[in-house]
Amino acid sequence: MSVPETDALSAHASGVERLLASYRAIPPGATVRLAKPTSNLFRARARSDAPGLDVSGLTGVISVDAAARTADVAGMCTYEDLVAATLPFGLAPLVVPQLKTITLGGAVTGMGIESTSFRNGLPHESVLEMDILTGAGEVVTASPVQHSDLFRSFPNSYGTLGYAVRLRIELESVAPFVALEHLRFRSLADLIAALDRIIETGGHNGTRVDYLDGVVFSADESYLCLGRQTATTGPVSDYTGSQIYYRSIQHDGETKHDRLTIHDYLWRWDTDWFWCSRAFGAQHPGIRRFWPRRLRRSSFYWKLIGYDQRFNIADRIEQRKGRPPRERVVQDVEVPIERTAEFLQWFLDTIPIDPIWLCPLRLRDRHRWPLYPIQPDLSYVNVGFWSSVPVGPSPGYTNRMIETKITELDGHKSLYSDSYYSAEEFDDLYGGETYKTVKKTHDPDARLLDLYAKAVQRR
């Protein structure tokens, strides 16, 4: 065993007791919610002064079993803390989402993805079992054989079926370094064809590929970023200082090589929140020089976003410049790989946002996950775009266009941001009667919000 277990188990047990006590303190009929100061959700959330669930004791790693390559982790543990506990044993979660403050419970009840998803699927697929506080106020253990209805419906339920208290997950061995190869493409069709070949073969030019994602800057400038684990020592790059990772990908040739430590590779996108730090001036050399390194991270940019939303700073600036307010377009969508080039071309022609992140995905599990029913044995590409555009003729105009296009292409989108589906469309896409049945079983008094109400309706 890795982590000293006795103290961690005791602390976790105390945290669960505080959680249950806080649940019992919420008046009957009142909506149950988490009392947590941070979130990686972009959609509107109801403000409430009512007390929430106390999750302050559920933030740590309980144990790491290096021999079995598993970890028991509290639901509110961040991936930053989880990775810090596993890397000393040469281990990492099978999928490590890009941002340090994403929690394990959040990635499982929501959707997480990263450059191992073409071979390891989604974070919930490496969960062996989990303890869940249900809307009924009970902590139940869910697994493929215990409360299997809850286990399989929990992913993409966003806390509407319960909250993960403890999760046992699989880990995989990792080497101390990642050798990178950035391949440039001058057509989207060529990019997607190469992506498809790598997914199917697990390699490129006879060399194994362990990590795979990409960036589209324009229709004639796009890249695949191939990573291979290696124990070979040597110089490594550092993108936590003056250099910016996504800019390092760009080049005029066919291939560019780079190297990172495994730690820096896993968090390569967090320093500049992909490329979103440019909105705050953090990429300007003069500003970056004086921007404290400890504040170059997604969690700090999140605070700036919070100030903007609270005081409408960006819209006020646009108004002073005589320009209309802006619509937030912050989405991750999954498109079948054979339709991805079509979607990318449509997006580049229609939506004034770039760059665009690409992350291939293939489920590990042949069984279906009813609340996010992408198909087993098919390859998808997650397309991520995070910015804003001038408001259109109706609320959510651009987001609605994207939703319509994704449905037309047999795709799906994550629910962490703004959604505009009708109730009927939503039921067709996100579990329908299966969700309602599980909801009634494990939250009979509707203490937790309904998924449609939480993800779409404004409260």
Side-chain angles (χ1 to χ4, degrees):
M1 290 284 179
S2 57
V3 173
E5 216 178 336
T6 305
D7 291 345
L9 282 171
S10 176
H12 180 70
S14 297
V16 173
E17 286 303 315
R18 293 203 299 275
L19 173 73
L20 290 171
S22 66
Y23 177 93
R24 291 189 289 267
I26 297 173
T31 299
V32 175
R33 64 176 187 86
L34 292 182
K36 66 185 216 119
T38 61
S39 173
N40 283 285
L41 297 179
F42 270 88
R43 51 179 152 75
R45 287 168 288 154
R47 292 188 177 275
S48 175
D49 295 325
L53 296 175
D54 181 356
V55 294
S56 61
L58 302 174
T59 60
V61 176
I62 303 166
S63 65
V64 177
D65 189 329
R69 294 198 300 186
T70 62
D72 277 43
V73 186
M76 295 298 296
C77 179
T78 65
Y79 273 93
E80 181 176 26
D81 290 341
L82 176 55
V83 165
T86 63
L87 280 187
F89 302 95
L91 299 169
L94 271 63
V95 181
V96 179
Q98 312 86 349
L99 306 181
K100 292 177 176 179
T101 56
I102 292 175
T103 64
L104 181 58
V108 171
T109 194
M111 283 287 123
I113 196 168
E114 236 295 329
S115 59
T116 56
S117 289
F118 78 104
R119 58 183 177 86
N120 287 340
L122 296 169
H124 61 265
E125 294 188 275
S126 58
V127 175
L128 300 172
E129 66 176 28
M130 51 187 159
D131 295 340
I132 298 172
L133 173 66
T134 68
E138 304 169 333
V139 175
V140 302
T141 299
S143 72
V145 296
Q146 295 176 272
H147 296 292
S148 59
D149 59 336
L150 180 60
F151 182 80
R152 300 212 70 82
S153 298
F154 195 73
N156 212 49
S157 63
Y158 285 90
T160 65
L161 295 178
Y163 299 104
V165 174
R166 176 194 62 89
L167 304 98
R168 178 169 296 162
I169 62 168
E170 298 175 75
L171 305 172
E172 67 175 7
S173 297
V174 292
F177 303 100
V178 176
L180 289 168
E181 186 176 4
H182 303 310
L183 309 181
R184 176 168 178 164
F185 296 87
R186 289 166 173 79
S187 89
L188 296 172
D190 289 347
L191 171 88
I192 298 303
L195 187 63
D196 198 16
R197 285 194 301 271
I198 296 169
I199 295 170
E200 291 299 326
T201 64
H204 175 68
N205 289 343
T207 301
R208 183 190 73 254
V209 172
D210 298 311
Y211 305 100
L212 178 62
D213 64 350
V215 180
V216 175
F217 290 90
S218 66
D220 57 6
E221 185 189 2
S222 57
Y223 301 86
L224 290 182
C225 304
L226 286 52
R228 179 176 56 84
Q229 296 183 26
T230 177
T232 304
T233 58
V236 293
S237 297
D238 179 3
Y239 297 107
T240 64
S242 62
Q243 301 303 307
I244 299 169
Y245 176 70
Y246 83 99
R247 288 301 182 193
S248 77
I249 295 169
Q250 294 182 277
H251 59 90
D252 293 327
E254 298 300 320
T255 304
K256 180 180 179 181
H257 295 275
D258 200 355
R259 282 169 50 89
L260 292 170
T261 66
I262 181 63
H263 175 275
D264 285 357
Y265 177 79
L266 293 175
W267 302 127
R268 69 202 181 284
W269 292 121
D270 188 85
T271 300
D272 284 288
W273 206 3
F274 286 85
W275 32 80
C276 298
S277 68
R278 64 186 178 182
F280 311 109
Q283 295 181 25
H284 187 283
I287 296 175
R288 195 176 185 88
R289 186 177 301 114
F290 297 102
W291 194 296
R293 187 178 293 233
R294 63 185 174 80
L295 299 183
R296 287 187 213 137
R297 53 181 288 142
S298 60
S299 57
F300 181 70
Y301 305 134
W302 248 115
K303 291 181 181 179
L304 299 181
I305 289 286
Y307 290 130
D308 175 56
Q309 292 177 340
R310 184 177 178 183
F311 299 109
N312 295 318
I313 297 171
D315 282 350
R316 290 181 179 182
I317 292 173
E318 293 298 300
Q319 186 178 32
R320 289 178 182 175
K321 294 180 178 180
R323 296 197 294 248
R326 298 183 70 82
E327 175 186 350
R328 182 175 62 193
V329 182
V330 176
Q331 305 287 354
D332 278 77
V333 301
E334 268 82 49
V335 183
I337 195 164
E338 66 272 12
R339 310 298 298 273
T340 301
E342 178 184 351
F343 175 75
L344 290 173
Q345 190 62 65
W346 173 86
F347 189 92
L348 291 169
D349 291 342
T350 310
I351 313 296
I353 292 176
D354 64 82
I356 305 166
W357 186 56
L358 305 180
C359 186
L361 160 67
R362 197 175 180 105
L363 294 180
R364 293 175 73 207
D365 194 332
R366 294 182 60 86
H367 295 89
R368 295 176 186 268
W369 302 90
L371 271 62
Y372 204 73
I374 62 176
Q375 302 299 311
D377 301 319
L378 294 181
S379 296
Y380 292 79
V381 179
N382 175 278
V383 184
F385 37 92
W386 317 291
S387 190
S388 63
V389 300
V391 295
S394 59
Y397 177 78
T398 299
N399 282 284
R400 290 176 188 269
M401 276 201 304
I402 293 167
E403 288 179 353
T404 299
K405 190 66 176 179
I406 290 299
T407 301
E408 174 190 323
L409 298 177
D410 297 322
H412 234 59
K413 83 168 196 173
S414 299
L415 296 174
Y416 71 86
S417 190
D418 298 315
S419 297
Y420 295 88
Y421 296 110
S422 70
E424 294 75 18
E425 290 174 310
F426 193 85
D427 274 358
D428 287 342
L429 293 169
Y430 298 100
E433 290 303 317
T434 299
Y435 171 75
K436 293 173 184 176
T437 299
V438 178
K439 175 78 167 170
K440 186 65 176 175
T441 301
H442 296 281
D443 185 19
D445 298 321
R447 300 295 305 277
L448 306 173
L449 282 178
D450 172 77
L451 183 58
Y452 183 71
K454 192 167 189 177
V456 181
Q457 294 175 329
R458 302 295 182 263
R459 286 176 174 261

